[in-house]
Amino acid sequence: MDITTIFTTVLSCGISLAICLINNNVQTNKQKAENEKQIALIQYQIEELKREIEKSNNVKERVTKIEGMALLWDEKLKMLNARMKVVENDKNHDDGK
C-alpha cells in the first residue's frame, strides 16, 4: 500500500465522518424545534383547560349558592304557610264565636 491510498482512505473516512456529524447536528436541531413546538402546544392546551375548569368551578359555586338560597326560601315559605294556617284557624275560630 502506498501513501496515496492511505491518504485517500483517511480523507474519505474523515469526510464521511464530518458529513455524519453535520447530518446528526441538523437532525437534532430539527427534532429540538419540533419538540419545542409540541411543548408549546401542550402548554397552551393546559392553560385552556385551566380556564375551562375555573369557569366550571365558578358555575358550581354559583349553583351551590342558588341551591342554598332556594332551600332557605322553601323554609321561609313553609313558615309563612304555617303562620297563615294559624291566622286562618284563629279567624275561623273567632268567627264561630
Side-chain angles (χ1 to χ4, degrees), residues 26-86:
V26 168
Q27 293 301 321
T28 300
N29 289 340
K30 282 183 183 179
Q31 189 62 46
K32 281 182 183 179
E34 185 63 32
N35 289 347
E36 287 174 4
K37 286 180 187 177
Q38 291 293 326
I39 290 169
L41 177 62
I42 291 169
Q43 288 173 337
Y44 171 76
Q45 290 172 333
I46 289 172
E47 290 302 318
E48 288 298 310
L49 286 172
K50 284 180 182 178
R51 279 193 214 58
E52 291 298 319
I53 288 170
E54 281 182 30
K55 286 180 188 177
S56 176
N57 287 343
N58 289 338
V59 169
K60 287 179 186 176
E61 289 171 7
R62 286 184 280 162
V63 167
T64 302
K65 284 182 182 179
I66 291 169
E67 287 173 343
M69 291 172 64
L71 290 174
L72 179 66
W73 283 107
D74 282 345
E75 288 300 315
K76 287 184 178 186
L77 185 59
K78 286 177 187 176
M79 289 172 48
L80 287 173
N81 284 333
R83 285 183 189 171
M84 285 176 55
K85 285 181 183 179
V86 169

Side-chain angles (χ1 to χ4, degrees), residues 1 3 20 24 52 72 89:
M1 247 202 258
I3 192 86
C20 287
N24 187 28
E52 291 298 319
L72 179 66
N89 286 339

